[in-house]
mmCIF file of all heavy atoms in Angstrom:
data_model
loop_
_atom_site.group_PDB
_atom_site.id
_atom_site.type_symbol
_atom_site.label_atom_id
_atom_site.label_comp_id
_atom_site.label_asym_id
_atom_site.label_seq_id
_atom_site.Cartn_x
_atom_site.Cartn_y
_atom_site.Cartn_z
ATOM 1 N N MET A 1 150.053 156.403 96.471
ATOM 2 C CA MET A 1 150.902 155.288 96.844
ATOM 3 C C MET A 1 150.630 154.125 95.879
ATOM 4 O O MET A 1 149.504 153.882 95.506
ATOM 5 C CB MET A 1 150.608 154.888 98.282
ATOM 6 C CG MET A 1 151.635 153.976 98.890
ATOM 7 S SD MET A 1 151.277 153.618 100.625
ATOM 8 C CE MET A 1 152.645 154.429 101.382
ATOM 9 N N HIS A 2 151.660 153.451 95.492
ATOM 10 C CA HIS A 2 151.565 152.348 94.543
ATOM 11 C C HIS A 2 150.773 151.191 95.160
ATOM 12 O O HIS A 2 150.843 150.939 96.352
ATOM 13 C CB HIS A 2 152.979 151.903 94.158
ATOM 14 C CG HIS A 2 153.006 150.958 93.015
ATOM 15 N ND1 HIS A 2 153.025 149.611 93.201
ATOM 16 C CD2 HIS A 2 153.014 151.161 91.679
ATOM 17 C CE1 HIS A 2 153.053 149.021 92.012
ATOM 18 N NE2 HIS A 2 153.047 149.946 91.083
ATOM 19 N N ASN A 3 150.019 150.469 94.333
ATOM 20 C CA ASN A 3 149.161 149.388 94.784
ATOM 21 C C ASN A 3 149.944 148.308 95.540
ATOM 22 O O ASN A 3 149.492 147.812 96.570
ATOM 23 C CB ASN A 3 148.424 148.777 93.590
ATOM 24 C CG ASN A 3 147.350 147.806 94.008
ATOM 25 O OD1 ASN A 3 146.738 147.954 95.056
ATOM 26 N ND2 ASN A 3 147.124 146.808 93.182
ATOM 27 N N LYS A 4 151.125 147.947 95.026
ATOM 28 C CA LYS A 4 151.927 146.907 95.676
ATOM 29 C C LYS A 4 152.390 147.359 97.059
ATOM 30 O O LYS A 4 152.400 146.577 98.007
ATOM 31 C CB LYS A 4 153.123 146.551 94.794
ATOM 32 C CG LYS A 4 153.899 145.356 95.279
ATOM 33 C CD LYS A 4 154.963 144.952 94.274
ATOM 34 C CE LYS A 4 155.733 143.752 94.764
ATOM 35 N NZ LYS A 4 156.743 143.328 93.803
ATOM 36 N N LYS A 5 152.721 148.649 97.189
ATOM 37 C CA LYS A 5 153.138 149.172 98.492
ATOM 38 C C LYS A 5 151.975 149.153 99.479
ATOM 39 O O LYS A 5 152.159 148.854 100.651
ATOM 40 C CB LYS A 5 153.685 150.591 98.352
ATOM 41 C CG LYS A 5 155.042 150.651 97.712
ATOM 42 C CD LYS A 5 155.561 152.067 97.667
ATOM 43 C CE LYS A 5 156.909 152.129 96.983
ATOM 44 N NZ LYS A 5 157.434 153.496 96.925
ATOM 45 N N LEU A 6 150.774 149.459 98.997
ATOM 46 C CA LEU A 6 149.602 149.408 99.865
ATOM 47 C C LEU A 6 149.313 147.983 100.320
ATOM 48 O O LEU A 6 148.972 147.754 101.482
ATOM 49 C CB LEU A 6 148.382 149.974 99.140
ATOM 50 C CG LEU A 6 148.291 151.486 99.066
ATOM 51 C CD1 LEU A 6 147.101 151.902 98.212
ATOM 52 C CD2 LEU A 6 148.180 152.091 100.448
ATOM 53 N N GLN A 7 149.455 147.032 99.411
ATOM 54 C CA GLN A 7 149.254 145.633 99.782
ATOM 55 C C GLN A 7 150.286 145.193 100.813
ATOM 56 O O GLN A 7 149.953 144.512 101.782
ATOM 57 C CB GLN A 7 149.341 144.740 98.551
ATOM 58 C CG GLN A 7 148.154 144.843 97.642
ATOM 59 C CD GLN A 7 148.295 143.951 96.420
ATOM 60 O OE1 GLN A 7 149.293 143.252 96.243
ATOM 61 N NE2 GLN A 7 147.290 143.982 95.569
ATOM 62 N N LEU A 8 151.529 145.589 100.609
ATOM 63 C CA LEU A 8 152.581 145.236 101.554
ATOM 64 C C LEU A 8 152.310 145.856 102.920
ATOM 65 O O LEU A 8 152.435 145.186 103.949
ATOM 66 C CB LEU A 8 153.946 145.685 101.024
ATOM 67 C CG LEU A 8 155.151 145.350 101.886
ATOM 68 C CD1 LEU A 8 155.274 143.843 102.083
ATOM 69 C CD2 LEU A 8 156.423 145.908 101.262
ATOM 70 N N LEU A 9 151.900 147.108 102.933
ATOM 71 C CA LEU A 9 151.565 147.768 104.197
ATOM 72 C C LEU A 9 150.421 147.039 104.903
ATOM 73 O O LEU A 9 150.463 146.812 106.111
ATOM 74 C CB LEU A 9 151.195 149.227 103.942
ATOM 75 C CG LEU A 9 150.766 150.033 105.162
ATOM 76 C CD1 LEU A 9 151.894 150.122 106.173
ATOM 77 C CD2 LEU A 9 150.315 151.414 104.733
ATOM 78 N N GLY A 10 149.417 146.635 104.146
ATOM 79 C CA GLY A 10 148.291 145.892 104.722
ATOM 80 C C GLY A 10 148.733 144.577 105.339
ATOM 81 O O GLY A 10 148.323 144.226 106.446
ATOM 82 N N TRP A 11 149.599 143.856 104.643
ATOM 83 C CA TRP A 11 150.077 142.579 105.184
ATOM 84 C C TRP A 11 150.967 142.774 106.406
ATOM 85 O O TRP A 11 150.948 141.963 107.337
ATOM 86 C CB TRP A 11 150.792 141.767 104.104
ATOM 87 C CG TRP A 11 149.814 141.092 103.199
ATOM 88 C CD1 TRP A 11 149.628 141.352 101.881
ATOM 89 C CD2 TRP A 11 148.870 140.079 103.545
ATOM 90 N NE1 TRP A 11 148.622 140.570 101.389
ATOM 91 C CE2 TRP A 11 148.136 139.772 102.387
ATOM 92 C CE3 TRP A 11 148.568 139.411 104.720
ATOM 93 C CZ2 TRP A 11 147.120 138.822 102.382
ATOM 94 C CZ3 TRP A 11 147.548 138.465 104.714
ATOM 95 C CH2 TRP A 11 146.839 138.180 103.555
ATOM 96 N N ILE A 12 151.744 143.848 106.417
ATOM 97 C CA ILE A 12 152.571 144.132 107.595
ATOM 98 C C ILE A 12 151.682 144.437 108.794
ATOM 99 O O ILE A 12 151.935 143.967 109.911
ATOM 100 C CB ILE A 12 153.559 145.282 107.303
ATOM 101 C CG1 ILE A 12 154.634 144.795 106.330
ATOM 102 C CG2 ILE A 12 154.195 145.796 108.584
ATOM 103 C CD1 ILE A 12 155.528 145.884 105.793
ATOM 104 N N LEU A 13 150.604 145.185 108.566
ATOM 105 C CA LEU A 13 149.665 145.460 109.658
ATOM 106 C C LEU A 13 148.973 144.184 110.130
ATOM 107 O O LEU A 13 148.768 143.990 111.338
ATOM 108 C CB LEU A 13 148.645 146.508 109.220
ATOM 109 C CG LEU A 13 149.210 147.905 109.009
ATOM 110 C CD1 LEU A 13 148.138 148.819 108.414
ATOM 111 C CD2 LEU A 13 149.754 148.483 110.299
ATOM 112 N N PHE A 14 148.623 143.308 109.206
ATOM 113 C CA PHE A 14 148.059 142.013 109.590
ATOM 114 C C PHE A 14 149.057 141.227 110.428
ATOM 115 O O PHE A 14 148.706 140.579 111.411
ATOM 116 C CB PHE A 14 147.686 141.185 108.353
ATOM 117 C CG PHE A 14 146.255 141.301 107.949
ATOM 118 C CD1 PHE A 14 145.911 141.967 106.793
ATOM 119 C CD2 PHE A 14 145.246 140.737 108.712
ATOM 120 C CE1 PHE A 14 144.598 142.078 106.395
ATOM 121 C CE2 PHE A 14 143.923 140.843 108.338
ATOM 122 C CZ PHE A 14 143.594 141.516 107.171
ATOM 123 N N LYS A 15 150.326 141.278 110.030
ATOM 124 C CA LYS A 15 151.359 140.549 110.767
ATOM 125 C C LYS A 15 151.523 141.110 112.182
ATOM 126 O O LYS A 15 151.659 140.357 113.143
ATOM 127 C CB LYS A 15 152.678 140.605 109.998
ATOM 128 C CG LYS A 15 153.697 139.632 110.502
ATOM 129 C CD LYS A 15 154.819 139.473 109.531
ATOM 130 C CE LYS A 15 155.801 138.478 110.113
ATOM 131 N NZ LYS A 15 156.703 137.957 109.158
ATOM 132 N N LEU A 16 151.482 142.437 112.305
ATOM 133 C CA LEU A 16 151.566 143.048 113.633
ATOM 134 C C LEU A 16 150.375 142.655 114.500
ATOM 135 O O LEU A 16 150.533 142.383 115.699
ATOM 136 C CB LEU A 16 151.663 144.568 113.509
ATOM 137 C CG LEU A 16 152.968 145.109 112.937
ATOM 138 C CD1 LEU A 16 152.870 146.613 112.741
ATOM 139 C CD2 LEU A 16 154.137 144.763 113.851
ATOM 140 N N SER A 17 149.196 142.588 113.904
ATOM 141 C CA SER A 17 148.032 142.173 114.683
ATOM 142 C C SER A 17 148.142 140.704 115.079
ATOM 143 O O SER A 17 147.736 140.312 116.174
ATOM 144 C CB SER A 17 146.734 142.434 113.925
ATOM 145 O OG SER A 17 146.603 141.588 112.820
ATOM 146 N N ALA A 18 148.712 139.880 114.210
ATOM 147 C CA ALA A 18 148.917 138.476 114.545
ATOM 148 C C ALA A 18 149.880 138.332 115.715
ATOM 149 O O ALA A 18 149.682 137.494 116.600
ATOM 150 C CB ALA A 18 149.436 137.707 113.332
ATOM 151 N N ILE A 19 150.912 139.156 115.738
ATOM 152 C CA ILE A 19 151.861 139.130 116.857
ATOM 153 C C ILE A 19 151.163 139.557 118.148
ATOM 154 O O ILE A 19 151.353 138.942 119.208
ATOM 155 C CB ILE A 19 153.081 140.025 116.553
ATOM 156 C CG1 ILE A 19 153.916 139.405 115.427
ATOM 157 C CG2 ILE A 19 153.929 140.246 117.797
ATOM 158 C CD1 ILE A 19 154.977 140.318 114.862
ATOM 159 N N ALA A 20 150.315 140.575 118.065
ATOM 160 C CA ALA A 20 149.577 141.027 119.245
ATOM 161 C C ALA A 20 148.632 139.926 119.747
ATOM 162 O O ALA A 20 148.536 139.685 120.958
ATOM 163 C CB ALA A 20 148.793 142.291 118.926
ATOM 164 N N PHE A 21 147.935 139.261 118.834
ATOM 165 C CA PHE A 21 147.058 138.162 119.239
ATOM 166 C C PHE A 21 147.864 137.024 119.835
ATOM 167 O O PHE A 21 147.425 136.385 120.796
ATOM 168 C CB PHE A 21 146.247 137.646 118.047
ATOM 169 C CG PHE A 21 144.999 138.436 117.779
ATOM 170 C CD1 PHE A 21 144.919 139.249 116.668
ATOM 171 C CD2 PHE A 21 143.916 138.366 118.636
ATOM 172 C CE1 PHE A 21 143.779 139.985 116.409
ATOM 173 C CE2 PHE A 21 142.767 139.092 118.386
ATOM 174 C CZ PHE A 21 142.695 139.907 117.270
ATOM 175 N N LEU A 22 149.036 136.757 119.297
ATOM 176 C CA LEU A 22 149.892 135.698 119.818
ATOM 177 C C LEU A 22 150.311 136.013 121.249
ATOM 178 O O LEU A 22 150.250 135.149 122.131
ATOM 179 C CB LEU A 22 151.116 135.519 118.922
ATOM 180 C CG LEU A 22 152.045 134.351 119.201
ATOM 181 C CD1 LEU A 22 151.308 133.033 119.056
ATOM 182 C CD2 LEU A 22 153.211 134.381 118.232
ATOM 183 N N ILE A 23 150.700 137.241 121.495
ATOM 184 C CA ILE A 23 151.085 137.649 122.854
ATOM 185 C C ILE A 23 149.880 137.579 123.788
ATOM 186 O O ILE A 23 149.977 137.100 124.925
ATOM 187 C CB ILE A 23 151.689 139.068 122.830
ATOM 188 C CG1 ILE A 23 153.039 139.050 122.107
ATOM 189 C CG2 ILE A 23 151.850 139.614 124.243
ATOM 190 C CD1 ILE A 23 153.595 140.422 121.786
ATOM 191 N N GLY A 24 148.732 138.034 123.309
ATOM 192 C CA GLY A 24 147.531 138.048 124.134
ATOM 193 C C GLY A 24 146.949 136.677 124.405
ATOM 194 O O GLY A 24 146.179 136.503 125.347
ATOM 195 N N SER A 25 147.309 135.693 123.604
ATOM 196 C CA SER A 25 146.719 134.366 123.767
ATOM 197 C C SER A 25 147.582 133.418 124.596
ATOM 198 O O SER A 25 147.244 132.243 124.709
ATOM 199 C CB SER A 25 146.459 133.749 122.391
ATOM 200 O OG SER A 25 147.681 133.467 121.739
ATOM 201 N N VAL A 26 148.656 133.924 125.169
ATOM 202 C CA VAL A 26 149.516 133.078 125.988
ATOM 203 C C VAL A 26 148.685 132.510 127.141
ATOM 204 O O VAL A 26 147.958 133.224 127.819
ATOM 205 C CB VAL A 26 150.727 133.880 126.525
ATOM 206 C CG1 VAL A 26 151.510 133.065 127.544
ATOM 207 C CG2 VAL A 26 151.620 134.301 125.379
ATOM 208 N N GLY A 27 148.761 131.220 127.319
ATOM 209 C CA GLY A 27 147.984 130.547 128.349
ATOM 210 C C GLY A 27 146.802 129.781 127.771
ATOM 211 O O GLY A 27 146.247 128.913 128.426
ATOM 212 N N ASN A 28 146.413 130.100 126.545
ATOM 213 C CA ASN A 28 145.321 129.402 125.874
ATOM 214 C C ASN A 28 145.932 128.698 124.661
ATOM 215 O O ASN A 28 146.246 129.334 123.658
ATOM 216 C CB ASN A 28 144.241 130.392 125.457
ATOM 217 C CG ASN A 28 143.056 129.731 124.806
ATOM 218 O OD1 ASN A 28 143.127 128.600 124.348
ATOM 219 N ND2 ASN A 28 141.950 130.456 124.755
ATOM 220 N N THR A 29 146.088 127.398 124.769
ATOM 221 C CA THR A 29 146.814 126.634 123.753
ATOM 222 C C THR A 29 146.195 126.767 122.371
ATOM 223 O O THR A 29 146.907 127.014 121.391
ATOM 224 C CB THR A 29 146.886 125.147 124.141
ATOM 225 O OG1 THR A 29 147.456 125.053 125.456
ATOM 226 C CG2 THR A 29 147.740 124.363 123.181
ATOM 227 N N ALA A 30 144.887 126.606 122.269
ATOM 228 C CA ALA A 30 144.234 126.668 120.957
ATOM 229 C C ALA A 30 144.401 128.052 120.329
ATOM 230 O O ALA A 30 144.695 128.172 119.131
ATOM 231 C CB ALA A 30 142.753 126.317 121.086
ATOM 232 N N ALA A 31 144.239 129.104 121.109
ATOM 233 C CA ALA A 31 144.378 130.464 120.584
ATOM 234 C C ALA A 31 145.829 130.753 120.190
ATOM 235 O O ALA A 31 146.081 131.434 119.192
ATOM 236 C CB ALA A 31 143.897 131.475 121.611
ATOM 237 N N THR A 32 146.771 130.241 120.957
ATOM 238 C CA THR A 32 148.187 130.435 120.640
ATOM 239 C C THR A 32 148.543 129.752 119.321
ATOM 240 O O THR A 32 149.228 130.335 118.479
ATOM 241 C CB THR A 32 149.085 129.898 121.771
ATOM 242 O OG1 THR A 32 148.749 130.568 122.979
ATOM 243 C CG2 THR A 32 150.546 130.108 121.468
ATOM 244 N N ILE A 33 148.061 128.533 119.132
ATOM 245 C CA ILE A 33 148.334 127.809 117.892
ATOM 246 C C ILE A 33 147.685 128.527 116.709
ATOM 247 O O ILE A 33 148.305 128.715 115.658
ATOM 248 C CB ILE A 33 147.839 126.348 117.995
ATOM 249 C CG1 ILE A 33 148.713 125.583 118.995
ATOM 250 C CG2 ILE A 33 147.866 125.656 116.630
ATOM 251 C CD1 ILE A 33 148.184 124.206 119.351
ATOM 252 N N GLY A 34 146.448 128.962 116.881
ATOM 253 C CA GLY A 34 145.763 129.690 115.815
ATOM 254 C C GLY A 34 146.465 130.985 115.463
ATOM 255 O O GLY A 34 146.602 131.330 114.283
ATOM 256 N N SER A 35 146.922 131.708 116.467
ATOM 257 C CA SER A 35 147.630 132.966 116.228
ATOM 258 C C SER A 35 148.955 132.722 115.522
ATOM 259 O O SER A 35 149.344 133.485 114.634
ATOM 260 C CB SER A 35 147.878 133.693 117.553
ATOM 261 O OG SER A 35 146.668 134.031 118.173
ATOM 262 N N ALA A 36 149.653 131.665 115.914
ATOM 263 C CA ALA A 36 150.931 131.342 115.277
ATOM 264 C C ALA A 36 150.718 130.967 113.806
ATOM 265 O O ALA A 36 151.483 131.389 112.929
ATOM 266 C CB ALA A 36 151.624 130.207 116.026
ATOM 267 N N LEU A 37 149.673 130.197 113.531
ATOM 268 C CA LEU A 37 149.380 129.828 112.142
ATOM 269 C C LEU A 37 149.023 131.062 111.311
ATOM 270 O O LEU A 37 149.448 131.185 110.157
ATOM 271 C CB LEU A 37 148.241 128.810 112.093
ATOM 272 C CG LEU A 37 148.585 127.416 112.606
ATOM 273 C CD1 LEU A 37 147.329 126.542 112.653
ATOM 274 C CD2 LEU A 37 149.654 126.767 111.752
ATOM 275 N N PHE A 38 148.261 131.973 111.893
ATOM 276 C CA PHE A 38 147.906 133.211 111.198
ATOM 277 C C PHE A 38 149.159 134.035 110.913
ATOM 278 O O PHE A 38 149.316 134.586 109.817
ATOM 279 C CB PHE A 38 146.910 134.010 112.036
ATOM 280 C CG PHE A 38 146.463 135.291 111.406
ATOM 281 C CD1 PHE A 38 145.784 135.286 110.205
ATOM 282 C CD2 PHE A 38 146.715 136.497 112.015
ATOM 283 C CE1 PHE A 38 145.366 136.478 109.614
ATOM 284 C CE2 PHE A 38 146.301 137.688 111.447
ATOM 285 C CZ PHE A 38 145.627 137.676 110.238
ATOM 286 N N LEU A 39 150.081 134.095 111.862
ATOM 287 C CA LEU A 39 151.337 134.817 111.682
ATOM 288 C C LEU A 39 152.148 134.214 110.538
ATOM 289 O O LEU A 39 152.667 134.929 109.679
ATOM 290 C CB LEU A 39 152.142 134.805 112.978
ATOM 291 C CG LEU A 39 153.497 135.493 112.958
ATOM 292 C CD1 LEU A 39 153.341 136.983 112.695
ATOM 293 C CD2 LEU A 39 154.216 135.264 114.279
ATOM 294 N N PHE A 40 152.259 132.889 110.505
ATOM 295 C CA PHE A 40 153.001 132.233 109.427
ATOM 296 C C PHE A 40 152.324 132.453 108.074
ATOM 297 O O PHE A 40 153.000 132.660 107.068
ATOM 298 C CB PHE A 40 153.170 130.738 109.701
ATOM 299 C CG PHE A 40 154.148 130.445 110.795
ATOM 300 C CD1 PHE A 40 153.788 129.623 111.853
ATOM 301 C CD2 PHE A 40 155.423 130.987 110.794
ATOM 302 C CE1 PHE A 40 154.687 129.349 112.873
ATOM 303 C CE2 PHE A 40 156.325 130.726 111.807
ATOM 304 C CZ PHE A 40 155.951 129.897 112.855
ATOM 305 N N ALA A 41 150.995 132.405 108.046
ATOM 306 C CA ALA A 41 150.276 132.632 106.786
ATOM 307 C C ALA A 41 150.537 134.038 106.263
ATOM 308 O O ALA A 41 150.772 134.224 105.063
ATOM 309 C CB ALA A 41 148.778 132.412 106.990
ATOM 310 N N CYS A 42 150.520 135.022 107.144
ATOM 311 C CA CYS A 42 150.806 136.399 106.725
ATOM 312 C C CYS A 42 152.217 136.503 106.157
ATOM 313 O O CYS A 42 152.444 137.195 105.163
ATOM 314 C CB CYS A 42 150.649 137.364 107.898
ATOM 315 S SG CYS A 42 148.947 137.628 108.420
ATOM 316 N N THR A 43 153.154 135.809 106.778
ATOM 317 C CA THR A 43 154.539 135.821 106.308
ATOM 318 C C THR A 43 154.631 135.268 104.892
ATOM 319 O O THR A 43 155.323 135.833 104.036
ATOM 320 C CB THR A 43 155.439 135.005 107.253
ATOM 321 O OG1 THR A 43 155.337 135.561 108.569
ATOM 322 C CG2 THR A 43 156.882 135.027 106.804
ATOM 323 N N PHE A 44 153.923 134.169 104.617
ATOM 324 C CA PHE A 44 153.967 133.586 103.281
ATOM 325 C C PHE A 44 153.348 134.509 102.240
ATOM 326 O O PHE A 44 153.830 134.594 101.116
ATOM 327 C CB PHE A 44 153.284 132.220 103.258
ATOM 328 C CG PHE A 44 154.104 131.149 103.924
ATOM 329 C CD1 PHE A 44 153.622 130.470 105.022
ATOM 330 C CD2 PHE A 44 155.371 130.839 103.457
ATOM 331 C CE1 PHE A 44 154.379 129.493 105.640
ATOM 332 C CE2 PHE A 44 156.143 129.870 104.069
ATOM 333 C CZ PHE A 44 155.643 129.189 105.169
ATOM 334 N N PHE A 45 152.266 135.204 102.602
ATOM 335 C CA PHE A 45 151.660 136.149 101.664
ATOM 336 C C PHE A 45 152.604 137.309 101.377
ATOM 337 O O PHE A 45 152.695 137.790 100.245
ATOM 338 C CB PHE A 45 150.326 136.676 102.196
ATOM 339 C CG PHE A 45 149.178 135.739 101.955
ATOM 340 C CD1 PHE A 45 148.555 135.098 103.006
ATOM 341 C CD2 PHE A 45 148.717 135.505 100.672
ATOM 342 C CE1 PHE A 45 147.486 134.246 102.787
ATOM 343 C CE2 PHE A 45 147.645 134.652 100.434
ATOM 344 C CZ PHE A 45 147.040 134.018 101.507
ATOM 345 N N ILE A 46 153.338 137.774 102.385
ATOM 346 C CA ILE A 46 154.304 138.858 102.188
ATOM 347 C C ILE A 46 155.431 138.386 101.276
ATOM 348 O O ILE A 46 155.838 139.100 100.357
ATOM 349 C CB ILE A 46 154.860 139.369 103.533
ATOM 350 C CG1 ILE A 46 153.775 140.142 104.281
ATOM 351 C CG2 ILE A 46 156.086 140.248 103.324
ATOM 352 C CD1 ILE A 46 154.157 140.536 105.692
ATOM 353 N N LEU A 47 155.926 137.183 101.511
ATOM 354 C CA LEU A 47 157.001 136.651 100.669
ATOM 355 C C LEU A 47 156.550 136.534 99.222
ATOM 356 O O LEU A 47 157.296 136.854 98.293
ATOM 357 C CB LEU A 47 157.470 135.292 101.188
ATOM 358 C CG LEU A 47 158.236 135.325 102.507
ATOM 359 C CD1 LEU A 47 158.519 133.903 102.978
ATOM 360 C CD2 LEU A 47 159.511 136.120 102.383
ATOM 361 N N ASP A 48 155.319 136.072 99.007
ATOM 362 C CA ASP A 48 154.791 135.958 97.651
ATOM 363 C C ASP A 48 154.675 137.326 96.997
ATOM 364 O O ASP A 48 154.981 137.494 95.819
ATOM 365 C CB ASP A 48 153.437 135.252 97.663
ATOM 366 C CG ASP A 48 152.895 135.026 96.271
ATOM 367 O OD1 ASP A 48 153.633 134.473 95.436
ATOM 368 O OD2 ASP A 48 151.739 135.421 96.026
ATOM 369 N N LEU A 49 154.218 138.310 97.762
ATOM 370 C CA LEU A 49 154.071 139.659 97.224
ATOM 371 C C LEU A 49 155.427 140.260 96.845
ATOM 372 O O LEU A 49 155.567 140.916 95.812
ATOM 373 C CB LEU A 49 153.376 140.560 98.254
ATOM 374 C CG LEU A 49 153.080 141.988 97.833
ATOM 375 C CD1 LEU A 49 152.071 141.998 96.691
ATOM 376 C CD2 LEU A 49 152.534 142.775 99.014
ATOM 377 N N LEU A 50 156.446 140.027 97.667
ATOM 378 C CA LEU A 50 157.773 140.563 97.387
ATOM 379 C C LEU A 50 158.448 139.858 96.213
ATOM 380 O O LEU A 50 159.296 140.439 95.542
ATOM 381 C CB LEU A 50 158.651 140.466 98.633
ATOM 382 C CG LEU A 50 158.249 141.349 99.801
ATOM 383 C CD1 LEU A 50 159.139 141.074 100.999
ATOM 384 C CD2 LEU A 50 158.306 142.822 99.420
ATOM 385 N N LYS A 51 158.071 138.599 95.979
ATOM 386 C CA LYS A 51 158.669 137.814 94.901
ATOM 387 C C LYS A 51 158.212 138.307 93.526
ATOM 388 O O LYS A 51 158.938 138.190 92.553
ATOM 389 C CB LYS A 51 158.312 136.339 95.090
ATOM 390 C CG LYS A 51 159.185 135.394 94.325
ATOM 391 C CD LYS A 51 159.022 133.974 94.820
ATOM 392 C CE LYS A 51 157.857 133.298 94.157
ATOM 393 N NZ LYS A 51 157.791 131.859 94.448
ATOM 394 N N LYS A 52 157.017 138.880 93.462
ATOM 395 C CA LYS A 52 156.463 139.314 92.177
ATOM 396 C C LYS A 52 157.131 140.560 91.670
ATOM 397 O O LYS A 52 157.555 141.421 92.322
ATOM 398 C CB LYS A 52 154.966 139.570 92.313
ATOM 399 C CG LYS A 52 154.193 138.290 92.526
ATOM 400 C CD LYS A 52 152.727 138.589 92.614
ATOM 401 C CE LYS A 52 151.949 137.317 92.819
ATOM 402 N NZ LYS A 52 150.534 137.534 92.970
#
């Protein structure tokens, strides 16, 4: 598998885990905010990877 595809797969898995943490942290404001920020950060890394 090509290196870029592996990186993309890794970031997609990170994004899925961020979504799971976001769902699991409902009711805890600090954890919800942290999970949302992690989700957005993963999105930006994916966008950067796709742009190259």
Side-chain angles (χ1 to χ4, degrees):
M1 194 177 247
H2 191 266
N3 190 31
K4 188 173 180 179
K5 287 183 182 180
L6 281 175
Q7 287 179 0
L8 182 60
L9 178 62
W11 281 114
I12 289 171
L13 292 173
F14 264 110
K15 193 166 180 163
L16 290 174
S17 69
I19 291 169
F21 276 109
L22 187 61
I23 292 169
S25 68
V26 171
N28 182 342
T29 305
T32 302
I33 291 170
S35 298
L37 290 174
F38 181 62
L39 179 64
F40 288 128
C42 289
T43 302
F44 286 119
F45 279 112
I46 289 173
L47 290 174
D48 184 52
L49 183 65
L50 293 176
K51 198 165 85 171
K52 291 182 180 177

